[in-house]
Amino acid sequence: MRGTHRSNPATRILTTLVALLALQLGSLIAPAYACGCGAMIPDSSERIGVDREESAVHWDGGTETVVMRFEVHGNAKRAAWIMPVPSRAEVDLGDPALFDALETLTAPEERDRYYFWPREGDWPFDSSYGDGAAAAPPGAGAGVGVVGRERLGPFDVARLTATDPDALGGWLRTNGFELPERLPGALKPYVDRKWEYVAVRLAPQEKGAALYGRLSPLRISFASPELVYPMRLSRLASTPQTLGLYVLADHRMEPRSPIGGDRPEVTFAGRIDGDESAALARLTGGAPTHLTALEQRFPHPERIDDDHHLRTVADTPYREVVYNDRLLTIGGEVPAWLATVGGGALLMAAALLAVRASRRRSHPAPGVRSTA
């Protein structure tokens, strides 16, 4: 056709590869400021992203203890992390075994659910039926007060006060980290309420390695007349965030609102012994407590407009149920549908044979005289 330009396939492929390469290089050069309940800030030439934030929160009516860990990706070899707290905080290393114990306690109940007719993956639709395979589910800058500073494993922890939203910028610059442009604005509500801050420098224990995977947990305790989980700084994240929250208190507790994310989902609620494990006992003091497990997604972190304020609700127990769909069998080997259909066919065949035999006896063939 005249006037139609058709590009060379090789040219199209090369153009696509160049575009993808440019996109990848751009993501590596630009720092991706990601955060969980605080702001995580890498060096300017590096990037870090938080895939999942997981926290266990214990509140006894006056003191709140938060044990948190992050699962991160990127190429950052060090980063700074900031968490606002309503009062003076004590910081220590958390116990990774705590999350193992909580995962076990809140694991879904598994139930078998049987179906009669074969589905995709069952014989005769899958020749592998019967093979046993199964699917398994430095000093502070001006305007910043350093309340305390300590080294905890891979963390350099500073507890700070600040009198204006820009004060933390000086501390970060002094410590070699750049400040996200939007951070002062996000900090303003905390400054107005005279909150304090836990600032952490974190780096892998192996020199030169990047921060990747699950980081060691931190334990932060502070006085609070209500159970509040700081989330407002998470609006600085550039990628969707996921929050896993274990709440331990005298009663079942849930967020008052979704604060700009999807509706929080309760995956477990119930009374537990506080001494189920040593790690759990260190958090609860060993006393019986109510455990609520929550999951929440934030597809658009920029919409987060508040912290999570949790309230007491009815102590209705709940455990998530996961169904394992299995083909109904007889004796664990023969599919019930096959035995039913096959048995029915045999009975029908036997009945037809009996009818035919009866007819032969009643109507003998010509030339054959009955002796009866």
Side-chain angles (χ1 to χ4, degrees):
M1 181 182 296
R2 295 182 60 184
T4 301
H5 174 72
R6 302 184 64 179
S7 60
N8 188 302
T11 302
R12 292 199 303 270
I13 293 173
L14 180 60
T15 302
T16 302
L17 289 175
V18 170
L20 290 173
L21 180 59
L23 180 63
Q24 182 67 21
L25 288 175
S27 66
L28 290 175
I29 293 171
Y33 298 119
C35 50
C37 65
M40 193 167 285
I41 309 162
D43 284 348
S44 60
S45 61
E46 300 175 337
R47 58 187 291 272
I48 190 170
V50 179
D51 296 318
R52 178 175 172 81
E53 169 191 346
E54 195 170 33
S55 295
V57 181
H58 177 255
W59 186 61
D60 62 6
T63 300
E64 181 174 337
T65 301
V66 180
V67 182
M68 61 181 59
R69 70 178 178 184
F70 298 104
E71 191 167 326
V72 303
H73 69 272
N75 66 341
K77 296 179 177 59
R78 55 180 184 162
W81 176 72
I82 305 169
M83 178 180 174
V85 289
S87 62
R88 189 64 43 87
E90 297 294 329
V91 186
D92 203 348
L93 286 176
D95 189 344
L98 172 64
F99 294 96
D100 295 334
L102 291 171
E103 287 174 5
T104 299
L105 286 169
T106 60
E109 177 185 350
E110 293 195 19
R111 297 180 186 174
D112 290 338
R113 182 169 56 188
Y114 294 92
Y115 56 92
F116 184 78
W117 294 110
R119 301 176 181 176
E120 183 179 356
D122 297 323
W123 184 87
F125 305 115
D126 185 359
S127 60
S128 63
Y129 176 84
D131 62 2
V144 178
V146 179
V147 176
R149 191 162 187 177
E150 48 269 332
R151 182 77 183 185
L152 301 173
F155 305 109
D156 176 14
V157 180
R159 290 168 291 149
L160 309 173
T161 61
T163 57
D164 65 78
D166 296 320
L168 287 179
W171 185 88
L172 289 169
R173 285 189 292 271
T174 300
N175 285 268
F177 297 97
E178 294 192 1
L179 180 68
E181 294 180 0
R182 294 185 296 153
L183 183 59
L187 286 171
K188 188 177 186 306
Y190 299 114
V191 175
D192 292 343
R193 286 181 284 172
K194 295 181 171 54
W195 280 33
E196 297 188 3
Y197 311 90
V198 175
V200 182
R201 282 169 52 99
L202 54 155
Q205 292 182 304
E206 183 180 345
K207 188 175 180 180
L211 291 164
Y212 192 86
R214 285 181 175 174
L215 306 182
S216 299
L218 273 179
R219 174 181 171 131
I220 303 173
S221 298
F222 48 86
S224 180
E226 65 167 334
L227 203 165
V228 56
Y229 189 72
M231 284 291 298
R232 198 183 294 266
L233 295 187
S234 296
R235 64 184 293 116
L236 302 179
S238 59
T239 57
Q241 303 292 290
T242 301
L243 170 66
L245 192 61
Y246 299 101
V247 183
L248 298 112
D250 289 339
H251 298 280
R252 174 172 170 172
M253 304 195 77
E254 297 181 16
R256 294 178 181 175
S257 76
I259 64 170
D262 292 346
R263 184 175 181 273
E265 177 187 0
V266 176
T267 59
F268 177 88
R271 199 78 177 170
I272 64 167
D273 293 330
D275 58 355
E276 292 277 355
S277 72
L280 186 60
R282 281 191 288 270
L283 179 61
T284 64
T289 187
H290 205 96
L291 171 60
T292 310
L294 300 159
E295 286 280 336
Q296 187 178 16
R297 292 188 68 256
F298 295 90
H300 305 281
E302 69 278 4
R303 297 178 183 174
I304 297 175
D305 57 6
D306 201 355
D307 300 317
H308 262 322
H309 298 266
L310 292 96
R311 63 180 178 179
T312 300
V313 297
D315 291 338
T316 306
Y318 173 79
R319 183 184 292 273
E320 189 177 17
V321 176
V322 175
Y323 288 97
N324 299 313
D325 289 336
R326 303 183 186 279
L327 180 67
L328 185 63
T329 60
I330 297 175
E333 294 291 338
V334 181
W337 71 268
L338 182 59
T340 302
V341 173
L346 289 175
L347 288 174
M348 186 177 294
L352 288 173
L353 290 174
V355 169
R356 288 180 179 178
S358 175
R359 286 177 177 175
R360 289 195 192 100
R361 288 194 297 269
S362 301
H363 304 282
V368 178
R369 180 176 294 179
S370 173
T371 59

